Amino acid sequence: MTADDIQRTILGVWRIEQPRLITSLSRMLRDVPLAEDLTQEALIAALEHWPVSGVPEKPGAWLMATAKRRALDHLRRNRMLSRRHGMLAHDLAREQETMPDFDSALDDDIGDELLRLIFTACHPLLSREARAALALRMICGLTTEEIARAFLQTEAAIAQRIVRAKRTLSQSGVGYETPRGAELSERLASVLEIVYLIFNEGYTAATGDQWLRPQLCNEALRLGRVLTAIAPLEPEAHGLTALMELNASRMAARTDANGEPILLMDQNRARWDRLQIRRGQLALARARELGGAGGFYALQAAIVACHAEAGTSDATDWRRIATLYGDLAALVNSPVIELNRAVAIGMAEGPLAALAIVDGLAHEPALKSYHLLPSVRGDLLHRLSRFEEARVAFEAAADLAGNTRERELLQRRAAASARAAQDHGCR
């Protein structure tokens, strides 16, 4: 393996294993920020050792064992004299001694532990934005740059937010536990938001060489189902689960055999998972029964349901989708929602009507680095046969895109617009 191959392998393993490492150490140390710091040390150790020694046969187990040794070293180095810390050090030492190979390092079940970690990150002491950034860092393994892209903010602002969140948790002595009763309800909205962000990162990766991260989608779906069991009368828990089920039903059709993205209008709907669609419809019906039809997640689920219920792209009820986006925009003032509404209007009323909305969003500060703004504009211009303008828009979108597959798709669309401009000029 080349040095680049090893680095990609390390980062790939890291994205998969980071939540397991943090949940395991958090359970042992009862200190989430410290657990996150120690897992980062394990990553640094891998970056130092693997290029020399090669990738271990069980890389995840290697990271786990290294992180646990770091935890033990930390306890010894700081000479924690309390009985509780002494017992923790003893237990960790015994675990190291009884580990004949690395298999036992993978035995920890991150099921409810992962949800507990999210609840901890969503403590009311932290701001809403800090909770989300910290959870994306710990659960998704996103870098500060990637989180900044997700929130359409500067990298410096996100870095400061994460540092402050970790300092607040450390100084407050917040326990690592799942809250109950009123305290659970108080945090639930933030937890739903985190699960939603985890799913979105899996559904369309912000950066990297792959457009999809199915493991994150599956984990978010599992967490959503657990949350509906924990809070069965919370309509938005059912709404979010419906949204994820319906979106996930299209996963198999969203990429070709080479992993290249396939846009919604070009997807083979025979490959959509009808059973998963049915599960999503049932979850959406439950959200509505509980009075949550107008909730943030239920409205989005209703939009995706319009696509799922249409046998062909031409049969899609785009006017209904545009209306639902209008309801969503009335609930949450977001230029991204308005951009999505423009797409629906473009399909229902034509590209010219949508272009006026998109051009009105051009000076929105939050969309300054958002690649989908010029991408949507390029699509509308192409449909209006303004091919040269479409090429410029698609190239601008490609320059802003962080994901390699998406960038290549946009470059191909720019090339197609350039060919169309040339053909049009020849005629």
Side-chain angles (χ1 to χ4, degrees):
M1 297 177 69
T2 66
D4 288 343
D5 290 336
I6 291 175
Q7 177 126 356
R8 279 194 294 270
T9 299
I10 293 171
L11 295 179
V13 171
W14 173 250
R15 285 186 184 275
I16 294 170
E17 297 296 335
Q18 185 185 24
R20 185 189 297 273
L21 300 177
I22 295 177
T23 52
S24 178
L25 294 186
S26 295
R27 187 172 63 248
M28 295 172 184
L29 301 169
R30 304 294 169 186
D31 186 331
V32 173
L34 175 58
E36 203 268 341
D37 289 343
L38 294 175
T39 58
Q40 292 290 332
E41 290 185 17
L43 171 62
I44 293 171
L47 290 169
E48 291 174 350
H49 289 91
W50 292 8
V52 178
S53 61
V55 177
E57 184 178 350
K58 297 177 180 178
W62 190 97
L63 287 169
M64 180 68 81
T66 301
K68 287 183 176 179
R69 280 196 292 270
R70 290 288 196 277
L72 179 59
D73 290 343
H74 175 85
L75 293 176
R76 287 172 172 163
R77 183 169 59 249
N78 287 280
R79 299 183 178 220
M80 297 181 178
L81 301 179
S82 72
R83 178 180 175 82
R84 182 169 67 91
H85 287 137
M87 290 176 65
L88 282 171
H90 176 72
D91 290 343
L92 281 168
R94 185 171 59 185
E95 184 175 353
Q96 297 292 328
E97 293 167 1
T98 58
M99 193 185 299
D101 58 28
F102 287 135
D103 286 341
S104 60
L106 294 179
D107 288 342
D108 293 315
D109 177 15
I110 67 168
D112 290 339
E113 295 298 328
L114 186 56
L115 194 57
R116 185 174 288 119
L117 180 63
I118 296 174
F119 269 103
T120 302
C122 290
H123 197 281
L125 282 171
L126 304 179
S127 69
R128 173 178 171 271
E129 296 81 5
R131 298 170 198 169
L134 187 60
L136 286 176
R137 172 72 172 266
M138 294 190 301
I139 309 301
C140 298
L142 298 189
T143 65
T144 304
E145 178 186 2
E146 291 166 341
I147 298 170
R149 280 180 174 273
F151 283 104
L152 305 178
Q153 297 204 4
T154 66
E155 188 173 347
I158 294 298
Q160 188 177 50
R161 188 175 297 169
I162 292 172
V163 169
R164 285 177 177 171
K166 291 171 65 176
R167 183 185 302 126
T168 298
L169 287 181
S170 293
Q171 293 176 349
S172 65
V174 168
Y176 174 66
E177 59 185 9
T178 304
R180 294 285 183 264
E183 193 176 353
L184 185 147
S185 298
E186 184 182 359
R187 299 191 203 181
L188 186 59
S190 289
V191 171
L192 292 174
E193 181 182 10
I194 299 308
V195 173
Y196 174 63
L197 291 171
I198 292 170
F199 183 88
N200 286 346
E201 174 59 23
Y203 195 69
T204 306
T207 60
D209 297 330
Q210 299 302 319
W211 201 38
L212 307 178
R213 295 177 63 187
Q215 183 197 20
L216 286 181
C217 288
N218 293 336
E219 187 58 38
L221 262 170
R222 187 192 66 77
L223 292 173
R225 293 165 186 157
V226 171
L227 286 168
T228 60
I230 292 175
L233 300 181
E234 173 53 55
E236 280 290 74
H238 295 279
L240 175 58
T241 301
L243 174 59
M244 294 189 295
E245 295 278 14
L246 290 165
N247 269 328
S249 71
R250 304 201 299 249
M251 290 283 283
R254 294 188 71 234
T255 56
D256 63 17
N258 297 317
E260 298 296 337
I262 301 175
L263 299 179
L264 176 63
M265 303 300 287
D266 301 323
Q267 289 172 16
N268 178 2
R269 297 188 178 214
R271 299 193 67 198
W272 290 5
D273 187 329
R274 305 314 300 184
L275 177 60
Q276 198 156 30
I277 288 173
R278 181 58 180 156
R279 286 201 297 266
Q281 290 170 328
L282 289 172
L284 179 57
R286 182 57 180 155
R288 288 168 171 166
E289 287 172 5
L290 293 168
F296 179 67
Y297 302 113
L299 283 172
Q300 291 181 79
I303 291 168
V304 184
C306 287
H307 294 294
E309 292 159 5
T312 64
S313 58
D314 292 338
T316 305
D317 189 349
W318 286 104
R319 292 188 182 279
R320 168 67 174 156
I321 292 174
T323 299
L324 288 167
Y325 270 121
D327 294 341
L328 196 59
L331 187 67
V332 179
N333 182 19
S334 165
V336 175
I337 292 174
E338 187 65 7
L339 181 62
N340 285 323
R341 189 176 75 86
V343 172
I345 287 175
M347 298 302 295
E349 302 177 16
L352 196 58
L355 187 61
I357 298 172
V358 172
D359 285 345
L361 295 170
H363 300 295
E364 282 284 347
L367 299 183
K368 182 179 180 182
S369 302
Y370 191 51
H371 68 287
L372 291 183
L373 177 63
S375 173
V376 169
R377 190 170 188 275
D379 181 70
L380 296 172
L381 290 167
H382 190 96
R383 289 167 58 195
L384 289 167
S385 299
R386 292 162 60 176
F387 301 119
E388 180 58 25
E389 292 175 80
R391 178 193 66 78
V392 173
F394 281 131
E395 287 180 349
D399 289 341
L400 292 173
N403 183 277
T404 302
R405 299 282 188 171
E406 199 165 15
R407 185 184 311 115
E408 291 170 350
L409 172 64
L410 290 165
Q411 289 169 344
R412 289 195 295 272
R413 299 197 73 187
S417 292
R419 289 193 296 272
Q422 187 175 32
D423 292 344
H424 188 74
C426 290
R427 288 198 299 271

